[in-house]
Amino acid sequence: MKYEIKGGNFPVLICNLEANETMITEGGAMSWMSPNMKMETTSSGGIGKIFGRMLTGERLFQNRFTAMGGEGMIAFASSFPGDIVVLELDGAKEYICQKSSFIASTTGVELSVYLQRKLGAGLFGGEGFIMQKLSGTGLAFIEIDGSAVKYNLAPGQQLIVDTGHVVMMDATCKMDITTNKGAKNILFGGEGLFNTVVTGPGEVVVQTMPTIKMAQALIPYMPTSSGS
C-alpha cells in the first residue's frame, strides 16, 4: 500500500492499494474511492470491541475496504483543519491517542480502549478517563487538530500541557495532573486550576488547536436567540 497526504491545513489521506489489500476505517471516514473498492462492515471483535468503541466516541462498527480485481484507491479527508500523522507500528511499540483521532489503518493494527488509571488525570487532566490504544504491526493514521508538534522525552523528563492539547503519546509515557500555584494565578491567570503532565520516556505529540479551544473562541461571535 502506498499513500500520500495532500491538502495543507485541510488534509486528505489518499491510499493506493494493491489487489486484495485492505484498509480498516471508522464508519463514515471514506471521502472518495475507485469503483473496485469493496466495503464490508464488521464489529472487528464482537460485543466487547463494540462496547469499547462506544466508550471512546467512535462508531460502533468499522468498515473494511478491499481492492478487488486490481489496484484500488481510497481517500479519507480530515473532519477539522489540521494534520494527519502516520504511525508505524512494529509489534513492540504501542501508542495512546485521544478519542476520535483514529482515521484508518492497515489490517495488522489493533485498535482498543485505554483507561486512565489515575483518578485525577481522568477527572481534571482534560483528556478523560478513556483514550485509544494502537498496537500490532502496520501503518495507522490519526487526525490532529491544528498542527502537530512532537517531543521526545527522556526518562523522568516532563512536559506540562494545557487541557486538550495532548493528542498522542508512547505507551511508555505516563499522564498525571498538576495544580497551578497561587490564588492570583488561578483566579486571574486564565490557565485554570489544573494542567496535564506527561512524563517520559517516550514520544508525545501535542496539537496546536484542539476542537474545544476553537469552539470556545467562537462562542462570543455566535448569535444568541431572542426571547419571544
Side-chain angles (χ1 to χ4, degrees):
M1 189 269 290
K2 297 181 180 179
Y3 68 87
E4 56 182 337
I5 298 172
K6 295 184 174 182
N9 292 331
F10 299 86
V12 59
L13 168 67
I14 302 174
C15 299
N16 294 288
L17 281 66
E18 299 291 337
N20 300 317
E21 276 193 316
T22 298
M23 293 287 294
I24 299 174
T25 77
E26 292 299 332
M30 189 277 295
S31 297
W32 61 84
M33 63 183 181
S34 60
N36 67 322
M37 294 298 297
K38 178 185 177 181
M39 186 183 81
E40 177 189 6
T41 301
T42 174
S43 63
S44 292
I47 297 298
K49 294 287 187 179
I50 293 176
F51 182 69
R53 284 194 291 274
M54 181 178 66
L55 290 177
T56 57
E58 304 291 352
R59 293 178 182 266
L60 299 186
F61 292 86
Q62 292 182 318
N63 291 331
R64 296 170 61 93
F65 289 91
T66 304
M68 305 299 293
E71 296 181 354
M73 179 274 296
I74 186 167
F76 310 97
S78 63
S79 59
F80 190 83
D83 284 346
I84 293 175
V85 172
V86 185
L87 304 178
E88 296 186 11
L89 292 97
D90 59 5
K93 197 167 189 177
E94 297 178 339
Y95 295 96
I96 308 301
C97 306
Q98 70 171 3
K99 294 187 295 185
S100 303
S101 61
F102 176 77
I103 299 176
S105 72
T106 54
T107 53
V109 175
E110 177 76 12
L111 178 66
S112 58
V113 176
Y114 176 83
L115 299 177
Q116 286 286 357
R117 297 178 181 176
K118 292 192 175 182
L119 179 64
L123 286 175
F124 307 114
E127 316 309 325
F129 279 109
I130 302 168
M131 301 179 76
Q132 295 177 319
K133 182 170 76 173
L134 294 171
S135 58
T137 58
L139 298 178
F141 304 89
I142 64 170
E143 184 175 357
I144 306 292
D145 300 336
S147 296
V149 182
K150 299 180 182 180
Y151 293 93
N152 285 299
L153 302 181
Q157 185 179 4
Q158 295 183 325
L159 184 68
I160 298 177
V161 188
D162 193 16
T163 299
H165 283 275
V166 177
V167 65
M168 188 209 78
M169 62 184 183
D170 286 348
T172 52
C173 293
K174 296 181 180 179
M175 183 180 291
D176 208 336
I177 61 166
T178 185
T179 305
N180 287 320
K181 303 296 190 294
K184 185 187 296 183
N185 293 338
I186 294 171
L187 293 175
F188 306 112
E191 301 300 334
L193 181 57
F194 300 101
N195 283 317
T196 300
V197 180
V198 181
T199 303
E203 183 182 69
V204 57
V205 178
V206 294
Q207 54 191 5
T208 61
M209 181 51 69
T211 306
I212 188 161
K213 293 292 183 74
M214 173 69 81
Q216 291 171 349
L218 292 176
I219 287 176
Y221 305 98
M222 300 298 288
T224 57
S225 58
S226 57
S228 56

